[in-house]
Amino acid sequence: MTHLVTRIRVYYLIGLAMIIGVGFWAAYKADHWIRMESGGSTPDFWSQYQTFMIPGILVGLMAGWVMSWAVRREVSGMLERLMDAFGSLQRGRPQPMRTQAGTKEEKVLAECFNHALSMVQQAQEQQFKNAMTDSLTGLMNRAGLKKQLDNEVQDESVALLFIDLDDFKRVNDVFGHEIGDETLKVTARRIQDSIRSSGVGRVADRVARIGGDEFVILLTPEPAPEHVNQISQRVIDAICQPIAIEGREIFIGASIGLASGRTRSEMDTVINRADMAMYQAKAGGKRTFVRFDESMEKDIQRMAEVERCLRHAIQRNELTVVYQALVRPEGRIGGFEALVRWSSAELGQVSPAEFIPVAEAYGMIEDIDLWIARQAMRGIRMRMDAWGEGAFVSINASGMHFLSMEFADQLISIAQQEDIDPYWVHIEITETAILQDMKAAKAAVQRLREAGFRIYLDDFGTGYSSLSHLSRFPLDGLKVDVSFVRDIPTSAGACNLARGIIDLAHNLDLDVVCEGVETPEQAEFLTMAEADLLQGWYFGSAQPLPSSLSAKAAVPTFASGSVEAVQQPA
């Protein structure tokens, strides 16, 4: 380009020099003629000027034309070619400039344009790739999955696995989003490895992350159902393995919904059906897989209605807390377990077995937990004002919520606001919550016990390692699951097992609550076995606490069992 500018300057100076030279020549000739002819009549200067100047002007015009021709040849041609190239880029069909012909400057300009065009095309390709790829895991995203399916030549049968991580929200809440992101990366690799080891499908392009903690696996062509089941279980087993990040062990699970259909014509329907099946897997206890069937559509519609109405249940005062008595062997009430009931204005009475899983699945359980805790502490405080400090209230904590230190602080704050000694508040946790994160669970237990709360292990005997939990965690007691009480006293094995659990707990200085007591024979046996508290329909169903009690008010009569079996606390 420097040589081009130099040549243009040379052409300009030559043309200017020619014009100036002709002008000087004409002036010189005019002056000479005037001097030579001064003795005669005055000459016609204008005609003489035209005689001398017109040739100069013509020569100057010719020099300007030559210069403009040179400029057009050197510059305009390149500009026209460059404008044509940019026009093709604007039209979306970019064409590179030819570099074989032209001056040296034209070749350099063409090379620069082609290099810029190449960089633009690379940036567009990268932008398209980013739009089709999940930046965190490197897997396809929802748009990439749809784009790939749209490009399918054949409309073939496919099996789709819709994966939703269990308890992932707790990982972000407890450990932060950086740990959560690392967990997602590890999970994505484990899913891919699970598919590779199965030998089914096209691996790298058939796993996608379509949401925060949602993944999809496409198996094409569709394998046999038993093979899909094996792959689903392999994926669940891989995801449930502990994840070591920054010296922590992270525990998550996975619920999988299965569906099948055609890759192009039915893909949206297949994804929706697999999503429905996944929610059935969550409602069935998580960490499992469920295959879609037509009956699920009604169930999912019902679940959606429950979810919609439940979001407004607290504000609409549709939830109530009821209390089931925990009775000591001598016949007096030791405390109450707080249970929630829901009477929806639109849906009527909704069972806790139906709406609690929905609350957990849709992130509403934390608000419900705290609302129950506040109502229960307030209610029992009013009761103790009337009776004296003689009865506790037991509150169930959901697994995801309990592991957060924020939950412990919230319970402490509620106890202070309701002016109740935490000693009279028992918190029931499950083995499932402990298994999710042993370190976080132990920290939460210690925090609550330091504040004065008492911690009980619920559903004892139904988990995987109950004895190790008793030795590792600073618990105050345990609740023997109803499955160990049901066959008492007709089954000698059940009787021996129940007696052994009670003895073991007492040796560890733990209180024992036996739930599911429905007959006087069961109550008598467990009393003789020295259980500390009994709970069940024999002593009555769950009921609301009275709004006010006088100092000598009798304990309300329960529906089953005799009034004499339940006495007013001392």
Side-chain angles (χ1 to χ4, degrees):
M1 188 61 69
T2 303
H3 298 293
L4 173 64
V5 173
T6 301
R7 285 206 299 271
I8 291 174
R9 288 175 177 173
V10 169
Y11 295 148
Y12 175 76
L13 291 175
I14 290 174
L16 184 63
M18 292 175 65
I19 294 173
I20 293 173
V22 170
F24 274 112
W25 175 78
Y28 170 77
K29 296 297 292 182
D31 180 71
H32 178 73
W33 181 82
I34 292 172
R35 290 177 182 275
M36 294 293 296
E37 301 295 332
S38 58
S41 58
T42 303
D44 185 355
F45 183 81
W46 176 245
S47 62
Q48 294 299 325
Y49 180 79
Q50 288 179 322
T51 301
F52 295 117
M53 288 302 295
I54 288 175
I57 293 172
L58 292 175
V59 173
L61 291 174
M62 183 178 295
W65 180 85
V66 171
M67 185 175 67
S68 65
W69 175 82
V71 171
R72 185 179 185 281
R73 181 176 179 275
E74 296 288 349
V75 178
S76 299
M78 282 190 294
L79 289 177
E80 289 178 0
R81 292 178 59 199
L82 189 62
M83 291 299 294
D84 290 340
F86 275 109
S88 68
L89 181 62
Q90 186 178 13
R91 291 189 297 270
R93 296 188 297 273
Q95 297 293 330
M97 295 179 65
R98 295 191 303 274
T99 57
Q100 292 81 2
T103 63
K104 181 178 180 181
E105 287 76 13
E106 287 181 294
K107 293 179 180 179
V108 172
L109 183 62
E111 290 175 356
C112 291
F113 175 83
N114 292 341
H115 177 69
L117 178 61
S118 175
M119 293 182 63
V120 169
Q121 290 174 329
Q122 291 178 6
Q124 289 177 335
E125 292 174 359
Q126 185 63 43
Q127 184 180 15
F128 177 80
K129 182 179 179 181
N130 292 341
M132 300 293 113
T133 305
D134 174 50
S135 60
L136 182 64
T137 63
L139 301 176
M140 288 186 299
N141 57 19
R142 185 183 289 270
L145 180 65
K146 185 177 186 304
K147 182 68 174 178
Q148 189 176 96
L149 292 174
D150 289 342
N151 293 335
E152 289 283 348
V153 177
Q154 296 180 343
D155 192 18
E156 56 185 347
S157 178
V158 60
L160 187 141
L161 285 65
F162 194 108
I163 305 169
D164 187 270
L165 302 185
D166 298 329
D167 308 325
F168 178 73
K169 181 178 182 298
R170 179 193 56 80
V171 176
N172 279 335
D173 292 343
V174 175
F175 302 108
H177 289 277
E178 291 186 2
I179 298 295
D181 288 347
E182 289 299 318
T183 301
L184 289 173
K185 292 179 184 178
V186 174
T187 300
R189 290 195 295 269
R190 289 182 176 182
I191 292 174
Q192 288 182 297
D193 292 343
S194 299
I195 304 302
R196 290 191 181 99
S197 63
S198 71
V200 175
R202 296 189 293 270
V203 180
D205 61 348
R206 292 299 174 176
V207 180
R209 179 186 175 214
I210 64 172
D213 59 351
E214 295 176 338
F215 297 83
V216 160
I217 299 174
L218 289 178
L219 302 177
T220 53
E222 181 182 3
E226 59 272 15
H227 202 166
V228 176
N229 294 346
Q230 293 173 3
I231 295 172
S232 301
Q233 190 59 56
R234 185 182 295 116
V235 170
I236 292 173
D237 293 341
I239 294 175
C240 288
Q241 294 298 313
I243 301 174
I245 301 176
E246 297 182 4
R248 301 176 180 269
E249 278 197 333
I250 308 299
F251 291 87
I252 58 173
S255 299
I256 300 180
L258 309 178
S260 59
R262 311 299 296 181
T263 52
R264 295 178 65 184
S265 58
E266 301 177 346
M267 205 62 243
D268 290 339
T269 301
V270 173
I271 292 177
N272 290 336
R273 288 179 172 179
D275 191 16
M276 293 181 191
M278 181 273 296
Y279 277 107
Q280 289 289 331
K282 282 190 175 295
K286 302 181 180 180
R287 289 170 172 75
T288 187
F289 60 88
V290 172
R291 186 176 295 274
F292 172 83
D293 63 58
E294 297 295 335
S295 64
M296 288 183 184
E297 295 196 15
K298 292 183 178 179
D299 295 338
I300 295 301
Q301 290 175 358
R302 169 68 178 182
M303 185 182 298
E305 291 177 353
V306 170
E307 182 263 338
R308 177 180 58 82
C309 295
L310 188 57
R311 291 196 179 276
H312 307 287
I314 294 179
Q315 290 79 5
R316 295 173 179 173
N317 295 319
E318 295 178 348
L319 298 180
T320 57
V321 177
V322 293
Y323 303 83
Q324 188 171 37
L326 283 79
V327 182
R328 299 193 183 280
E330 61 270 23
R332 72 179 183 89
I333 293 177
F336 294 87
E337 180 178 2
L339 304 170
V340 65
R341 297 291 183 264
W342 180 26
S343 179
S344 170
E346 296 184 38
L347 305 177
Q349 293 290 336
V350 184
S351 167
E354 182 178 11
F355 72 80
I356 291 298
V358 173
E360 292 178 338
Y362 287 94
M364 294 179 281
I365 193 63
E366 295 182 4
D367 290 338
I368 294 177
D369 277 350
L370 294 176
W371 182 85
I372 294 172
R374 183 176 298 279
Q375 298 299 316
M377 292 186 200
R378 182 177 300 168
I380 206 68
R381 182 70 182 90
M382 292 171 56
R383 184 183 184 96
M384 289 193 297
D385 285 343
W387 286 2
E389 295 183 351
F392 61 83
V393 64
S394 186
I395 300 170
N396 291 281
S398 66
M400 290 185 294
H401 201 185
F402 175 77
L403 294 175
S404 170
M405 291 302 291
E406 184 182 20
F407 177 61
D409 293 336
Q410 288 168 335
L411 285 182
I412 294 170
S413 176
I414 291 173
Q416 293 172 346
Q417 293 169 12
E418 300 301 329
D419 192 26
I420 185 173
D421 187 342
Y423 174 83
W424 298 105
V425 181
H426 295 187
I427 307 299
E428 297 184 10
I429 62 174
T430 63
E431 292 180 88
T432 302
I434 293 175
L435 284 173
Q436 288 175 4
D437 191 324
M438 305 281 281
K439 187 174 182 180
K442 190 171 185 178
V445 168
Q446 290 176 336
R447 177 80 173 97
L448 289 169
R449 292 191 82 237
E450 289 172 358
F453 294 90
R454 307 190 72 194
I455 311 298
Y456 279 68
L457 185 63
D458 197 11
D459 300 330
F460 178 80
T462 61
Y464 297 99
S465 53
S466 300
L467 296 180
S468 65
H469 297 161
L470 296 182
S471 62
R472 292 183 186 180
F473 285 84
L475 302 170
D476 294 285
L478 56 86
K479 295 188 73 171
V480 179
D481 188 69
V482 64
S483 60
F484 294 100
V485 177
R486 186 179 299 115
D487 295 330
I488 294 174
T490 57
S491 169
C495 293
N496 292 332
L497 191 55
R499 187 182 292 109
I501 292 174
I502 293 172
D503 291 341
L504 173 65
H506 286 165
N507 289 334
L508 294 173
D509 198 24
L510 298 174
D511 291 339
V512 179
V513 180
C514 293
E515 54 185 346
V517 179
E518 298 183 354
T519 67
E521 291 79 13
Q522 291 172 341
E524 181 181 5
F525 174 84
L526 294 172
T527 298
M528 296 298 295
E530 299 184 351
D532 298 286
L533 290 161
L534 307 179
Q535 180 181 358
W537 279 89
Y538 174 67
F539 302 103
S541 62
Q543 300 179 4
L545 280 177
S547 59
S548 63
L549 290 174
S550 63
K552 297 182 179 179
V555 176
T557 302
F558 292 91
S560 61
S562 62
V563 178
E564 292 77 11
V566 184
Q567 300 175 2
Q568 180 176 327

